[in-house]
Amino acid sequence: ERQLPCGGVFGSPEKLPDVCYRWWVLASLKIIGRAHWLDKDRLVKFILASQDDETGGFADRPGDVVDPFHTLFGLAGLSLLGENQLAKVNPVLCLPQSLVDSLGLKLEVSTVTS
């Protein structure tokens, strides 16, 4: 119900879709094993449409100015969606999974897929 036809996700009714909302919803669903409830291809398309091809980085939505906050959540979201060129990100901490592993942190993330 939160994913819009453009592929973005909104945080509450009457709000515009936003890259960071997409992170919060996707990470939460990943933690409970329900990421498949969202359309991956539409999410990727929305995130990439929010990218500035000339200067780099991601904005909150397509056409807006990029910033570090939305760039972090854009890249982290692409990682959770399985983009192979990015390191895996832990959905609980929004940190590289390799760092979480090296620190010996054990965080519960559901493996339910259907």
Side-chain angles (χ1 to χ4, degrees):
E1 294 179 18
R2 297 258 185 225
Q3 190 169 17
L4 301 171
C6 68
V9 177
F10 61 92
S12 59
E14 305 301 319
K15 294 279 189 176
L16 295 173
D18 190 308
V19 166
C20 69
Y21 296 151
R22 191 229 10 89
W23 160 260
W24 299 119
V25 172
L26 176 61
S28 298
L29 291 175
K30 189 83 167 174
I31 291 166
I32 64 170
R34 297 289 188 252
H36 63 277
W37 285 356
L38 296 173
D39 184 315
K40 174 187 173 180
D41 293 334
R42 288 188 352 206
L43 280 173
V44 169
K45 183 178 177 181
F46 179 78
I47 297 168
L48 294 178
S50 301
Q51 183 180 25
D52 186 322
D53 292 333
E54 292 181 22
T55 62
F58 292 88
D60 56 347
R61 62 189 57 88
D64 284 357
V65 178
V66 301
D67 63 75
F69 181 78
H70 289 92
T71 298
L72 166 68
F73 291 125
L75 290 170
L78 289 171
S79 172
L80 283 185
L81 291 166
E83 291 296 309
N84 292 332
Q85 297 174 349
L86 298 172
K88 292 191 183 298
V89 170
N90 182 282
V92 176
L93 299 175
C94 193
L95 291 172
Q97 186 62 50
S98 60
L99 175 61
V100 173
D101 293 342
S102 71
L103 293 173
L105 299 176
K106 303 295 180 204
L107 304 166
E108 276 192 52
V109 176
S110 178
T111 57
V112 175
T113 58
S114 59

